[in-house]
Amino acid sequence: MRVLFGIPGRAIIPLYHTLGDFPEVRHILTRHEQGAGHAASGYAQATGRLGVCLSTSGPGATNLVTALMDAQRDSVPVLALTGQVESDQLGTGAFQEADICSVVSSVTKYSVEVTRAADVFPAVTEAARRAMSGRPGSVLVSVTMDAFNGRTPLPGGGREAADPPTPDPARIEQAVAALLAARRPVLYAGGGVVRGEAAGPLRELAEEIGVPVVTTLMARGAFPDGHRLAFGMPGMYGTIAATAAMQKADLILAVGARFDSRVTGKPDAFAPDARIVHIDIDDGEISRTGRADIGINAHCRPVLAMMRNRVREALESGRHRHPDLSSWWHTLDGWRNRHEPGHGEEVDGALDPRYAVERLGSLTAGPNTLYTAGVGQHQVWAAKHIRYERPRTFITTCGAGTMGYAVPAAMGVQAAHPDAEVWAIDGDGSFQMMCQELATCVQARLPIKVAVINNAMLGMVRQWQDLWYPHDNEETDLSAHKATESPDISALARAYGCAAFTCAHPGQVDQVVTEASAVRDRPVVVEFLVSKSARSYPLVPPHVPVPDLLPDFDGID
């Protein structure tokens, strides 16, 4: 069943009036248009299909802007279909008029205003094609009321998706030769591996040579964490071992990944001895923020499959000897053993949030469990302390970093996979930005489970304040001057009709998670009251050389 998320209003009522004619389409009535947009994104990320959200004109449409920017930055195919005032009212400042196409032009892949009934179907078809073609992204179609109310024969067919760029065989050969010649290679997998359904050939290529694989935040699950070649997440809030591996590599094979400052630190000092092979569907990303010695503009899946086949042929024919990476792995394992992410059950006498997240992941792990996360410390802990073995099981926001994403995204994931166990891991600050979507989940019978990591403050902002202004923590305490936490999140959850649990001690974690996991008939909110002192480390600030952040880096061979 196809799923739409949205809120009706005057300008889009004509479209809503037709929904009953399509029983194969389910509409979910959200409580905020931004929630509809994030739900469409969660649906798209969990399925690889187009996510669709609806809104009326004016403020309804502008409320979608953040969600559309978020989807665009993370290459998620989302179509927003918005109503608009009558065509003869355009430009007059009519009630609830907004030039939404101009508003979203810089944060979407494509937007168009439609004023004639005959143009609605072609415009929506073209927008959907663009959203799904090449590097996916967000699109918007604004339709005036008179166009919605008009009648026109439904045209047949539609434009086919554009052919992806064809991999250059010569560059494939160059990349294979560079990989086989390397003695300290690293495979750097980004979200494009997930979007391009390339996890299979990625794993096969890595196994063919024995190359360590690091996965970005958007690529968690693209390579199984339990695999011997898995080396964790690099860069800002990643692991020291993964960050050091990239810094000391002599070859980095980047697949569907951007060389973002959160991974590289200061670009000029990043991986100075490494040759860079960069595979990306978006030609504009290749060498955008750093050099690419070999750039391949194509979909990840066919390129990785071609490289895997060429490597096998080269090794089986005897043209190349199997690379000896034993010395490299000795060094890698040394870093991993020395710098394994750790935590305790308590920090300063209170529950350690990292322990709570790790136990949640261990107790709920399975082939039918998916996780979402908002933005903040909880996102980092969810990425690092839960093991992900399959693509599309960890769904989060990265490029835009949108607080409030976790709950509505989980709603979209649950709608896509009704039989799955879906956990939204959120912070108390992020949770309060979109918690009204709990009402949507109750009404739509979407039994998501929400773990609120409540440290009663904007934890990530406080962490940055501690770094730059250690004696001046301004406006990050969410419970200042109050005798009790505000709000009472468990009471709030019950008011919406959810089951609610509170956990404040390590000894309660397993029982609470187990009981919450067993609830199937309604949404669940678990509030973990955690230490205010826990931090997300290591930290790689943008534009700071990675070696400066690792005290013993000069001694790393």
Side-chain angles (χ1 to χ4, degrees), residues 69-95:
M69 177 188 69
D70 184 275
Q72 178 69 8
R73 289 293 302 276
D74 287 340
S75 305
V76 181
V78 169
L79 164 66
L81 187 56
T82 64
Q84 181 58 284
V85 300
E86 291 85 348
S87 57
D88 62 0
Q89 296 294 306
L90 290 174
T92 67
F95 176 70

Side-chain angles (χ1 to χ4, degrees), residues 157-203:
R159 291 184 61 180
E160 297 182 359
D163 292 333
T166 303
D168 183 341
R171 294 196 178 189
I172 297 287
E173 294 296 339
Q174 293 172 10
V176 168
L179 183 60
L180 290 173
R183 290 299 172 261
R184 300 188 307 278
V186 171
L187 221 166
Y188 167 40
V193 173
V194 177
R195 307 281 179 268
E197 306 291 347
L202 171 78
R203 178 172 177 168

Side-chain angles (χ1 to χ4, degrees), residues 4 33 37 44 96 129 162 174 178 209 215 222 226 280 296 316 334 339 341 346 350 462 531 539 543:
L4 313 177
E33 290 87 357
Q96 291 196 334
R129 183 190 73 82
Q174 293 172 10
I209 307 176
T215 50
D280 205 289
I296 302 175
E316 290 172 0
H339 300 293
E346 295 185 354
R462 173 66 66 88
S531 167
L539 176 61
H543 314 302

